[in-house]
């Protein structure tokens, strides 16, 4: 069953509130899920799984499709880091270098895909 799409009128304000700081857990969850949704729309595919536990995960980026077991290309980070990457306050290379972003697999990169417009 597909997840319900988060409307721009709901997602945009949630992101702005979360990026500004002090958002409650529900607002942060909405912001994270909305930005993951935008990433999946910007780079549709099933090659890389982007995980932001405990709020959500998406598969994106064109290429070989992953169907079973642990995906070969995984990017995982926390909510604060994902919000920073997606909003442009943290560069992709900076997230990797700091250890805040864990990327495994040959295609596990969001270089050129973040920041996202919201």
């Amino acid at each position: 069953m597909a997840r319900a799409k988060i409307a721009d009128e709901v997602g945009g304000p949630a992101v702005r509130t979360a990026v500004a700081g002090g958002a409650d857990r529900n607002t942060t969850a909405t912001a994270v899920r909305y930005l993951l949704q935008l990433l999946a729309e910007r780079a549709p595919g099933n090659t890389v799984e982007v995980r932001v536990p405990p709020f959500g995960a998406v598969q994106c980026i064109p290429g070989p499709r992953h169907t079973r077991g642990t995906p070969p290309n995984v990017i995982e980070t926390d909510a604060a880091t994902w919000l920073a990457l997606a909003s442009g306050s943290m560069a992709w290379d900076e997230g990797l270098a700091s250890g805040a972003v864990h990327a495994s697999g040959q295609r596990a990169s969001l270089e050129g895909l973040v920041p996202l417009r919201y």
Side-chain angles (χ1 to χ4, degrees):
M1 182 172 185
R3 285 188 185 153
K5 185 175 178 177
I6 300 170
D8 295 338
E9 300 79 31
V10 174
V15 171
R16 287 188 287 281
T17 300
V19 168
D24 63 25
R25 181 175 169 83
N26 287 337
T27 302
T28 300
T30 299
V32 166
R33 291 178 184 131
Y34 179 68
L35 290 168
L36 287 170
Q37 172 184 298
L38 292 180
L39 175 63
E41 290 170 357
R42 182 173 180 185
N46 297 95
T47 298
V48 177
E49 185 167 291
V50 179
R51 300 174 180 167
V52 185
F55 299 119
V58 295
Q59 290 188 356
C60 58
I61 303 176
R65 181 176 177 82
H66 163 73
T67 56
R68 295 180 57 180
T70 302
N73 300 290
V74 176
I75 296 168
E76 187 167 327
T77 192
D78 59 73
T81 302
W82 172 241
L83 290 168
L85 288 168
S87 68
S89 62
M90 178 185 288
W92 173 250
D93 290 341
E94 180 185 348
L96 286 174
S98 71
V101 174
H102 303 280
S104 63
Q106 200 171 21
R107 295 173 176 251
S109 175
L110 297 180
E111 185 71 41
L113 295 173
V114 290
L116 299 165
R117 292 183 180 234
Y118 52 90

